[in-house]
Amino acid sequence: MTNNMFFIANWKMFGDFKSVNSIKKVIKLSKDKKYKKAKIIYCPPYTLLDKFFKITKNSKIEIGAQNCHHYQNPGPFTGSVNVDLIKSIGAKYVIIGHSENRSSGDTNHNINLKIKSALKKKLKVIFCIGETLKEKRKNKTNSVLNSQIIRGLKNIKKNNNIIFAYEPVWSIGTGLVPKNKDLKIQINVIKKILSKFWRLNNPKIIYGGSVNPKNINDLRKISSIKGFLVGGASQKAKNFIDIIKKTIN
Ligand code: PEP
């Protein structure tokens, strides 16, 4: 597991039934022994989860949802999907705490409830954390990461089923990527917080924010990064494949 590199595709609110076929090339790559270290996970919109599950069934590619409701039982929550519903479709992962959901109402408290709910039902969690540009300018990055982690993991026992996705909000969808030296520092900060708070010494930390086939050549040099959460560039199979190939080679 420790040698694996995660390549998590977040399709956000993009894609339709036809576009699912575009991932056939990625499925082919996933079967190539040369890329066996690549742990590829697709997180499409809810409406495409079933299609993605079926098309990837005979491959190592796994499926995840982009969010969930914290409530574990069926309930009167119009428009929401809980972890049981996500699991029932064959998904193994769920993204929780994405900044696009934090900015539309997710708080550290309900992110914590969502993580608990996912772990209880044995869904693995892709837990997104990261500072806004305003917070970065005020030198608050470390304290923001600290409180996102500590509050997000409150009363959750140390476990190995969480992937920590460091996604500076100012980098998502903007084309801006932190310098390698700054990114290394932030990954180290996250490691320190997890080691102090959870005694977790080998966390799976990935990076997300404008990863593309060009900047991957630099980003892949940071050995403490165990993979990438890729938004825009994952929607084109060619770009996603390029990112995987350049990282693994
Ligand atoms: C994301 O949505 O998690 C993301 C990293 O998006 P992008 O790659 O488009 O910046």
Side-chain angles (χ1 to χ4, degrees), residues 8-12 14 95 98-100 128 165-169 171-176 207-212 228-235:
I8 305 178
N10 175 14
W11 271 27
K12 310 188 190 221
F14 292 96
I95 298 174
H98 194 285
S99 65
E100 284 154 14
C128 298
Y166 173 52
E167 299 208 303
V169 181
S171 182
I172 296 178
T174 59
L176 301 172
Y207 167 76
S210 295
V211 176
N212 65 36
F228 301 96
L229 179 51
V230 189
S234 71
Q235 288 152 32

Side-chain angles (χ1 to χ4, degrees), residues 192-203:
K192 277 198 185 130
I193 298 168
L194 286 168
S195 156
K196 194 170 161 208
F197 173 70
W198 239 19
R199 307 247 172 277
L200 183 64
N201 292 321
N202 206 3

Side-chain angles (χ1 to χ4, degrees), residues 82-141:
N82 73 1
V83 288
D84 272 344
L85 294 174
I86 292 168
K87 271 197 84 172
S88 71
I89 216 146
K92 299 262 169 36
Y93 290 82
V94 58
I95 298 174
I96 296 178
H98 194 285
S99 65
E100 284 154 14
N101 293 321
R102 287 183 191 264
S103 67
S104 53
D106 260 2
T107 60
N108 285 324
H109 174 64
N110 83 314
I111 286 167
N112 173 250
L113 297 179
K114 288 179 183 194
I115 296 177
K116 282 179 179 156
S117 172
L119 293 175
K120 190 163 180 204
K121 298 292 175 100
K122 307 252 177 310
L123 267 186
K124 290 184 179 157
V125 173
I126 301 152
F127 176 25
C128 298
I129 51 176
E131 78 287 0
T132 62
L133 188 58
K134 200 169 162 195
E135 289 160 344
K136 178 180 155 63
R137 285 189 176 142
K138 288 186 175 168
N139 283 327
K140 286 188 169 167
T141 300

Side-chain angles (χ1 to χ4, degrees), residues 12-234:
K12 310 188 190 221
M13 204 170 70
F14 292 96
D16 55 23
F17 273 20
K18 264 203 221 149
S19 60
V20 178
N21 289 319
S22 72
I23 76 158
K24 284 182 180 159
K25 288 180 190 146
V26 183
I27 296 173
K28 193 169 163 217
L29 174 111
S30 75
K31 294 180 177 172
D32 184 337
K33 278 198 187 120
K34 206 170 153 196
Y35 300 104
K36 66 171 193 275
K37 276 191 196 166
K39 198 137 176 59
I40 303 169
I41 301 159
Y42 267 97
C43 301
Y46 293 131
T47 50
L48 298 180
L49 279 171
D50 184 47
K51 272 227 156 214
F52 266 82
F53 180 70
K54 285 182 180 141
I55 203 172
T56 57
K57 213 161 63 182
N58 296 318
S59 76
K60 290 185 325 185
I61 296 180
E62 293 180 301
I63 303 303
Q66 296 173 14
N67 199 1
C68 65
H69 195 281
H70 72 263
Y71 199 69
Q72 289 172 24
N73 299 317
F77 299 103
T78 304
S80 298
V81 172
N82 73 1
V83 288
D84 272 344
L85 294 174
I86 292 168
K87 271 197 84 172
S88 71
I89 216 146
K92 299 262 169 36
Y93 290 82
V94 58
I95 298 174
I96 296 178
H98 194 285
S99 65
E100 284 154 14
N101 293 321
R102 287 183 191 264
S103 67
S104 53
D106 260 2
T107 60
N108 285 324
H109 174 64
N110 83 314
I111 286 167
N112 173 250
L113 297 179
K114 288 179 183 194
I115 296 177
K116 282 179 179 156
S117 172
L119 293 175
K120 190 163 180 204
K121 298 292 175 100
K122 307 252 177 310
L123 267 186
K124 290 184 179 157
V125 173
I126 301 152
F127 176 25
C128 298
I129 51 176
E131 78 287 0
T132 62
L133 188 58
K134 200 169 162 195
E135 289 160 344
K136 178 180 155 63
R137 285 189 176 142
K138 288 186 175 168
N139 283 327
K140 286 188 169 167
T141 300
N142 294 356
S143 65
V144 166
L145 292 175
N146 195 63
S147 73
Q148 287 178 340
I149 291 172
I150 289 178
R151 291 185 194 173
L153 298 181
K154 192 173 171 194
N155 296 328
I156 297 175
K157 279 198 193 128
K158 174 167 106 171
N159 68 76
N160 221 7
N161 293 319
I162 300 181
I163 298 167
F164 298 88
Y166 173 52
E167 299 208 303
V169 181
W170 50 271
S171 182
I172 296 178
T174 59
L176 301 172
V177 170
K179 292 192 184 99
N180 273 21
K181 95 174 177 347
D182 297 332
L183 196 43
K184 272 187 208 163
I185 292 172
Q186 289 321 138
I187 300 291
N188 249 333
V189 167
I190 295 167
K191 279 184 146 182
K192 277 198 185 130
I193 298 168
L194 286 168
S195 156
K196 194 170 161 208
F197 173 70
W198 239 19
R199 307 247 172 277
L200 183 64
N201 292 321
N202 206 3
K204 295 188 268 282
I205 304 176
I206 63 173
Y207 167 76
S210 295
V211 176
N212 65 36
K214 280 189 186 153
N215 58 30
I216 194 68
N217 290 319
D218 272 337
L219 290 167
R220 67 182 282 271
K221 291 179 190 153
I222 306 174
S223 61
S224 51
I225 291 179
K226 303 298 175 204
F228 301 96
L229 179 51
V230 189
S234 71

